[in-house]
């Protein structure tokens, strides 16, 4: 209840606001009656004091001193019966009250102070009771709303209708969770404040009021209310209105909405944790090849939105050092906090990513396109990883390093990509580096071949071997003879010895191969292509049987 509402009560029928009209909206939480000169020491903020003025009848300066103290304590106002002892309110008191917008109420002589106090407190209690009843009804409405599965967007719309102002829900990273009114400018502004390290809420703060310039000089005034969940930082329920424009009923409605939303978000967080565990377990089984077949593996991958034909880069990450003062359990909790933070940061980049946790290491799969296939310092993937390194350092004061694989041309290649990323990470650590990004360097031809799409390899193989690989030729001895011949560095006698056939048989078969290929097997370039094609054929065969 504020001063203007107070004056509408029947007990104040003969009273009027003598000074401090600018403070008519001051809120009243309690009413005191002055019965001692030292009452000022017992007053608190939002208190209304009523008095007969008896203690000031011989020294009006005491009244001015009392008003000054009440202004400092942010009291609601002062009601005085003037006619009995003072005659009128001193000019100095009126000027002081007008200067600071402090309400001075001249009370009626016909009503006793006890009656004024009792009826005012009764009115305040009635108002509070109605507000609490409305808050309880709002809480029940919001809870029932979520229980029926209608979602947060519709709940925010209901809140907006109740308080008469649009609302927006942000998570602890200022990412949009839901809104009753789309405002990209406000969302961009909030995310900028988050990136700059601005904290919306001080410890134990109830709300924060601030303004954002949304473009063309327009200013949006917002009030942010904390949404406290099990996360380290609070989310925010934004109301597109000034704090002073919201009455107690609105504030209680918002508080109940924030509580219900917090429970819903914590429930979703718990479900996400279960999903993450299942996802981590799948990935561990995937890279360990524990599933019965490649088909089963890829079918399971689809359950976690992993595209089987998408190109990926594997990135293994690990914190550079442990916090020695922490035990194993607490250490693991802190590591998962960092990885959870990283997963949230990855969501802001314009590419699909998946993060898996394996003890003290994380493995990130990033979907890449043709313009990100090169492993250079300007690739979008590496730029994103560098930004995440900086964010982890700012947020946690820790450094983290990454090993990056070559491109995996399909999901099945991620098994090899995981190994490459981990090897690159270990290689960087062995060099004694910190906060590095180490890309994998292939060590043999089979790993180089895995970097090339399977369809390109198959095309090269078919073009090089030509009719020799045609099923209609149906002579495996020719392919076997060619393979052994090239393996023995084109030695006919050694080839015959290994195949347990006569030397002339080898010569005949090789002539038949030259006839089918239309090429001379004595040409070094021809033998190089054939050796590579046979190696590719072996690699493709191994992949097909996995």
């Amino acid at each position: 209840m504020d001063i203007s509402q107070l004056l509408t009560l029947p007990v104040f029928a003969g009273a009027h606001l003598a000074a401090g009209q600018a403070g008519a909206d001051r809120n009243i939480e309690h009413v005191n009656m002055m019965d001692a000169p030292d009452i000022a020491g017992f007053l608190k903020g939002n208190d209304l004091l009523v008095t007969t003025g008896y203690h000031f009848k011989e020294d009006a300066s005491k009244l001015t001193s009392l008003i000054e103290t009440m202004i400092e304590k942010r009291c609601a106002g002062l009601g005085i019966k003037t006619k009995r002892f003072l005659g009128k309110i001193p000019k100095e008191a009126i000027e002081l009250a007008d200067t600071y917008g402090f309400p001075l109420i001249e009370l009626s002589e016909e009503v006793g102070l006890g009656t004024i106090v009792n009826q005012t407190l009764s009115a305040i209690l009635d108002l509070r009771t109605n507000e609490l009843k409305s808050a309880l009804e709002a809480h029940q409405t919001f809870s029932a709303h979520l229980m029926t599965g209608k979602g947060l967007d519709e709940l925010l719309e209901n809140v907006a209708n109740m308080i008469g102002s649009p609302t927006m829900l942000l998570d602890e990273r200022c990412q949009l969770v839901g809104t009753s009114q789309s405002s990209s400018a406000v969302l961009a502004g909030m995310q900028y404040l988050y990136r700059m390290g601005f904290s919306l809420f001080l410890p134990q703060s109830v709300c924060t009021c601030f303004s954002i310039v949304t473009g063309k000089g327009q200013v949006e005034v917002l009030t942010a209310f904390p949404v406290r969940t099990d996360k380290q930082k609070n989310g925010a329920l934004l109301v597109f209105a000034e704090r002073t424009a919201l009455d107690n009923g609105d504030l209680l409605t918002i508080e109940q909405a924030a509580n219900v939303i917090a429970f819903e978000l914590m429930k979703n967080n718990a479900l996400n944790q279960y999903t993450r565990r299942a996802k981590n377990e799948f990935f561990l089984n995937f890279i360990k090849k524990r599933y019965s077949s490649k088909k089963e593996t890829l079918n399971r991958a689809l359950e976690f939105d992993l595209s089987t034909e998408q190109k990926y880069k594997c990135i293994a990450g690990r914190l550079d050092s442990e916090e020695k003062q922490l035990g194993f359990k607490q250490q693991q909790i802190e590591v998962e906090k960092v990885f959870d933070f990283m997963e949230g940061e990855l969501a802001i980049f314009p590419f699909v990513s998946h993060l898996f946790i394996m003890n003290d290491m994380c493995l990130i799969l990033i979907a890449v396109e043709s313009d990100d296939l090169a492993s250079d310092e300007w690739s979008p993937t590496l730029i994103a990883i560098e930004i995440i390194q900086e964010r982890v350092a700012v947020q946690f004061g820790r450094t983290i390093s990454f090993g990056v694989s070559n491109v995996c041309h399909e999901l099945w290649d991620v098994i090899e990509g995981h190994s490459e990323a981990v090897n690159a990470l270990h290689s960087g650590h062995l060099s004694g580096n910190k906060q590095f990004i180490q890309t994998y360097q292939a060590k043999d031809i089979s790993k180089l071949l895995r970097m090339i799409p399977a369809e390109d390899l198959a095309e090269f193989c078919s073009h090089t071997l030509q009719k020799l690989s045609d099923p209609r030729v149906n002579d495996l001895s020719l392919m076997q003879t060619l393979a052994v011949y090239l393996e023995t560095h084109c030695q006919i006698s050694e080839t015959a010895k290994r195949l347990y056939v006569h030397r002339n048989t080898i010569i005949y078969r090789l002539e038949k191969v030259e006839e089918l290929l239309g090429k001379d097997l004595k040409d070094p370039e021809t033998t190089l292509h054939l050796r590579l094609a046979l190696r590719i054929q072996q690699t493709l065969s191994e992949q097909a049987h996995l």
Side-chain angles (χ1 to χ4, degrees):
M1 177 180 289
D2 60 28
I3 296 295
S4 59
Q5 292 173 316
L6 177 80
L7 294 175
T8 63
L9 297 177
V11 74
F12 286 91
H16 70 278
L17 196 58
Q21 284 79 3
D25 59 349
R26 290 198 178 208
N27 188 46
I28 305 168
E29 293 184 357
H30 190 66
V31 184
N32 266 314
M33 183 168 58
M34 187 172 185
D35 57 1
D38 60 348
I39 187 66
F42 299 93
L43 295 175
K44 295 180 293 186
N46 297 327
D47 274 1
L48 173 68
L49 179 65
V50 294
T51 179
T52 60
Y54 174 78
H55 300 287
F56 314 124
K57 65 178 181 177
E58 295 180 357
D59 187 357
S61 64
K62 291 182 179 180
L63 176 59
T64 305
S65 177
L66 174 64
I67 293 173
E68 290 175 345
T69 302
M70 294 183 73
I71 291 172
E72 290 177 4
K73 291 192 172 187
R74 299 181 180 275
C75 292
L78 176 63
I80 308 176
K81 283 191 173 187
T82 57
K83 295 180 180 178
R84 185 173 180 186
F85 297 109
L86 291 179
K88 63 178 182 178
I89 300 176
K91 181 180 178 181
E92 295 82 1
I94 290 177
E95 290 176 351
L96 179 62
D98 282 335
T99 300
Y100 290 95
F102 180 76
L104 283 182
I105 305 170
E106 189 167 351
L107 301 174
S108 170
E109 293 295 327
E110 284 73 26
V111 184
L113 293 184
T115 303
I116 291 174
V117 171
N118 290 334
Q119 292 195 22
T120 302
L121 287 175
S122 179
I124 292 173
L125 288 174
D126 288 343
L127 182 61
R128 292 290 180 267
T129 299
N130 291 332
E131 289 174 348
L132 290 173
K133 182 180 178 181
S134 298
L136 180 60
E137 291 174 352
H139 188 279
Q140 293 172 339
T141 300
F142 298 149
S143 298
H145 174 96
L146 290 178
M147 291 294 288
T148 56
K150 293 182 179 178
L152 289 172
D153 279 335
E154 194 168 332
L155 185 147
L156 293 170
E157 188 69 42
N158 287 345
V159 175
N161 291 335
M162 287 182 179
I163 65 176
S165 297
T167 58
M168 179 182 287
L169 178 62
L170 305 179
D171 66 12
E172 69 279 4
R173 297 187 183 92
C174 285
Q175 298 296 309
L176 182 66
V177 178
T179 181
S180 69
Q181 172 180 299
S182 178
S183 179
S184 56
V186 169
L187 181 59
M190 296 301 299
Q191 291 174 351
Y192 174 79
L193 292 175
Y194 172 74
R195 296 288 162 193
M196 294 298 102
F198 175 76
S199 178
L200 280 178
F201 308 109
L202 297 173
Q204 306 301 320
S205 64
V206 176
C207 64
T208 303
C209 192
F210 56 95
S211 302
I212 289 180
V213 179
T214 59
K216 296 182 180 180
Q218 296 180 344
V219 177
E220 191 75 66
V221 180
L222 304 165
T223 304
F225 296 84
V227 178
R228 297 181 172 90
T229 65
D230 52 349
K231 298 287 187 179
Q232 188 174 9
K233 288 189 174 182
N234 296 321
L237 179 57
L238 297 186
V239 176
F240 288 60
E242 288 190 59
R243 164 64 179 83
T244 54
L246 303 169
D247 60 28
N248 286 334
D250 293 336
L251 294 175
L252 286 172
T253 297
I254 294 168
E255 182 182 346
Q256 298 311 308
N259 290 336
V260 172
I261 289 170
F263 282 118
E264 179 70 7
L265 293 178
M266 285 191 285
K267 182 192 77 175
N268 292 339
N269 290 339
L271 292 174
N272 290 338
Q273 289 297 324
Y274 283 117
T275 302
R276 172 179 285 180
R277 289 172 192 165
K279 191 175 180 181
N280 291 339
E281 184 177 353
F282 157 76
F283 189 75
L284 182 62
N285 290 330
F286 170 46
I287 62 175
K288 297 292 184 182
K289 301 180 183 178
R290 291 174 179 169
Y291 295 112
S292 59
S293 66
K294 179 178 179 180
K295 182 178 180 181
E296 179 192 359
T297 305
L298 297 182
N299 285 338
R300 287 177 180 266
L302 293 175
E303 296 179 21
F304 299 100
D305 300 323
L306 288 166
S307 174
T308 58
E309 297 180 357
Q310 172 67 53
K311 294 179 176 65
Y312 292 101
K313 275 192 177 181
C314 296
I315 303 172
R318 177 183 284 149
L319 292 171
D320 291 324
S321 60
E322 295 184 353
E323 296 289 348
K324 295 182 179 179
Q325 69 272 22
L326 299 178
F328 173 79
K329 178 181 177 181
Q330 190 61 35
Q331 177 70 30
Q332 193 64 33
I333 291 173
E334 292 302 312
V335 168
E336 290 193 8
K337 282 182 181 179
V338 175
F339 292 159
D340 179 62
F341 173 79
M342 288 169 50
E343 188 171 30
E345 292 296 296
L346 283 167
I348 70 173
F349 293 101
F351 49 67
V352 177
S353 62
H354 304 271
L355 185 142
F356 306 90
I357 299 175
M358 297 170 289
N359 295 323
D360 64 341
M361 182 184 295
C362 70
L363 196 287
I364 306 169
L365 290 186
I366 292 182
V368 295
E369 305 300 332
S370 57
D371 59 347
D372 194 30
L373 299 186
S375 298
D376 58 49
E377 60 180 344
W378 297 110
S379 75
T381 299
L382 296 187
I383 292 174
I385 294 302
E386 286 179 357
I387 292 173
I388 287 176
Q389 279 183 323
E390 294 173 0
R391 294 290 299 151
V392 168
V394 170
Q395 193 73 19
F396 298 95
R398 307 280 297 273
T399 59
I400 187 169
S401 296
F402 296 98
V404 183
S405 75
N406 293 305
V407 174
C408 305
H409 293 276
E410 60 176 354
L411 182 62
W412 191 254
D413 295 336
V414 167
I415 296 175
E416 182 68 22
H418 164 265
S419 178
E420 292 176 357
V422 172
N423 286 339
L425 180 62
H426 288 166
S427 176
H429 279 143
L430 288 173
S431 302
N433 297 326
K434 288 188 176 182
Q435 202 166 351
F436 61 82
I437 300 176
Q438 179 80 35
T439 54
Y440 179 77
Q441 302 297 325
K443 298 178 177 64
D444 57 41
I445 192 169
S446 63
K447 294 189 182 295
L448 285 172
L449 292 178
R450 293 182 189 276
M451 297 167 58
I452 303 173
E455 57 270 22
D456 292 342
L457 294 175
E459 183 180 351
F460 175 81
C461 196
S462 176
H463 173 75
T464 303
L465 297 177
Q466 297 183 29
K467 294 182 180 180
L468 196 60
S469 60
D470 192 332
R472 290 173 296 181
V473 173
N474 197 25
D475 191 348
L476 295 177
S477 64
L478 295 180
M479 187 73 77
Q480 183 184 28
T481 300
L482 177 61
V484 176
Y485 175 70
L486 294 174
E487 187 179 329
T488 58
H489 305 289
C490 303
Q491 298 296 317
I492 294 178
S493 298
E494 182 64 23
T495 304
K497 181 179 178 181
R498 292 193 183 187
L499 294 176
Y500 301 101
V501 296
H502 195 274
R503 186 175 186 277
N504 289 339
T505 302
I506 299 299
I507 293 173
Y508 168 77
R509 290 178 181 176
L510 293 176
E511 289 175 349
K512 184 68 173 176
V513 169
E514 288 182 328
E515 180 182 342
L516 290 171
L517 296 178
K519 295 181 180 180
D520 183 5
L521 291 180
K522 296 181 179 66
D523 179 26
E525 187 171 351
T526 297
T527 57
L528 173 62
H529 286 188
L530 289 171
R531 285 174 65 87
L532 187 56
L534 290 172
R535 176 62 71 89
I536 290 172
Q537 194 176 58
Q538 179 184 355
T539 300
L540 293 176
S541 177
E542 290 173 353
Q543 292 179 352
H545 285 85
L546 289 174

